[in-house]
Amino acid sequence: MSIETIAETLGLKKEELIKNSIKAYLESELRRVNAEINTLYTRYGVTSLKELDEKINEGKLSETETFEDFTRLDYLEARKEKIEQLLKVLT
C-alpha cells in the first residue's frame, strides 16, 4: 500500500501524513531512549551522566565496571538531544 493511498483513505495530504508519521516515530524513540537512560540512572543511583562521572572520579564506582554503561549513557544522552531538536523543528 502506498503513502498516497493511505493519505487519501484517511483524508490527509501526503505531506501531513509523512510529517505526522515522523513525529510519532520520534516521540516513540524518545520514550524508548528515556526509559533506557532512566534504567541506567537507577542502576547507579544517579540522576545525570555528570553525577555518574563524579561518583566514578570519587572512587564510589569502579571505572572498569561502569565503562560500558557510561559509554552507552553518553550515547543515549546525545541521541535524546538530537531527537528533541528534531521534534522542535517539526512542531
Side-chain angles (χ1 to χ4, degrees), residues 1-18 20-21:
M1 189 175 284
S2 70
I3 292 174
E4 290 81 5
T5 303
I6 295 170
E8 185 178 320
T9 302
L10 295 174
L12 299 170
K13 293 181 181 177
K14 176 182 166 184
E15 295 76 19
E16 184 180 0
L17 176 60
I18 292 170
N20 289 343
S21 299

Side-chain angles (χ1 to χ4, degrees), residues 22-40:
I22 292 170
K23 184 177 179 188
Y25 169 78
L26 290 172
E27 288 171 342
S28 173
E29 183 65 6
L30 183 59
R31 283 190 299 276
R32 186 195 67 75
V33 167
N34 278 329
E36 191 171 347
I37 287 170
N38 288 331
T39 297
L40 291 170

Side-chain angles (χ1 to χ4, degrees), residues 2-3 5-7 14 22 28-30 32-33 42-43 47-48 51 55 57 63-65 71 75 77-78 83 87 90:
S2 70
I3 292 174
T5 303
I6 295 170
K14 176 182 166 184
I22 292 170
S28 173
E29 183 65 6
L30 183 59
R32 186 195 67 75
V33 167
T42 301
R43 181 177 297 159
T47 58
S48 69
E51 189 178 346
K55 281 190 170 189
N57 289 331
E63 185 174 356
T64 306
E65 293 175 10
T71 304
Y75 164 79
E77 292 282 354
I83 293 169
L87 281 168
L90 282 174

Side-chain angles (χ1 to χ4, degrees), residues 36-37 40-41 43-44 49 52-53 56 62-79:
E36 191 171 347
I37 287 170
L40 291 170
Y41 284 169
R43 181 177 297 159
Y44 297 105
L49 182 62
L52 178 58
D53 190 41
I56 292 168
S62 165
E63 185 174 356
T64 306
E65 293 175 10
T66 59
F67 179 76
E68 283 185 35
D69 286 340
F70 185 89
T71 304
R72 180 72 180 155
L73 192 52
D74 187 41
Y75 164 79
L76 291 168
E77 292 282 354
R79 184 161 177 84

